[in-house]
Amino acid sequence: MSDEGTVRVDIWLWSVRLLKTRSMATTACRAGHVRVNDERAKPSTSVKPGDEIRLRHGGRERIVIVQKVIRKRVGAPAAAECLIDKSPPPPPPEALIPVGRRERGAGRPTKRDRRELERVLDRYRTINDPPADD
């Protein structure tokens, strides 16, 4: 590991295990999901200790501060020493938008299930529909 100098942002993101592969890191940079010191970063952008990196990945934003510059992928404990994580905590699963899901192995909805669902949807539609202009 090296404490001095600079390294490309895509290599650093991969080496500290924020992204699984280097090609994913390069793609994230090209797509505009990576910012270094509030400026959009290309894959070749250099990072040094003290830089703030913002990464949008997996439906959340990660905010990290570079502590050490490394060029090779290291184990998780060593990678944790190379950054300071300032990311907000992920939202709890209950806060996410609920999606209609059936129990695993329940198969297709029965006629009874379908009719109950239609009743619920009809109630929802009548409550939320705007009044008709007559």
Side-chain angles (χ1 to χ4, degrees):
M1 281 193 278
S2 169
D3 289 330
E4 305 116 45
T6 61
V7 69
R8 290 172 52 117
V9 69
D10 61 339
I11 294 173
W12 190 83
L13 289 171
W14 166 75
S15 62
V16 296
R17 297 173 170 264
L18 288 176
L19 292 169
K20 194 170 187 176
T21 64
R22 182 165 170 210
S23 62
M24 283 177 71
T26 303
T27 304
C29 290
R30 286 189 181 137
H33 300 297
V34 178
R35 293 184 161 278
V36 175
N37 297 327
D38 288 330
E39 292 185 20
R40 191 172 168 179
K42 293 181 178 180
S44 62
T45 302
S46 296
V47 294
K48 60 189 180 312
D51 285 347
E52 179 186 76
I53 298 178
R54 292 176 175 265
L55 168 69
R56 283 192 338 256
H57 178 70
R60 65 183 278 218
E61 184 174 32
R62 301 286 308 264
I63 303 168
V64 295
I65 303 206
V66 179
Q67 265 196 316
K68 292 181 184 176
V69 174
I70 57 173
R71 290 173 177 79
K72 300 286 182 182
R73 193 166 172 98
V74 294
E81 297 172 359
C82 298
L83 58 94
I84 300 171
D85 195 358
K86 301 271 187 176
S87 305
E94 300 84 32
L96 299 175
I97 298 172
V99 178
R101 301 250 166 120
R102 294 179 51 80
E103 289 186 30
R104 188 177 177 108
R108 291 180 57 173
T110 62
K111 187 182 253 186
R112 182 179 183 183
D113 293 339
R114 182 180 51 81
R115 287 180 177 163
E116 287 176 5
L117 179 62
E118 285 176 355
R119 260 188 245 117
V120 169
L121 290 176
D122 284 341
R123 281 189 210 135
Y124 176 77
R125 286 186 195 116
T126 57
I127 292 171
N128 291 326
D129 282 344
D133 293 331
D134 287 332

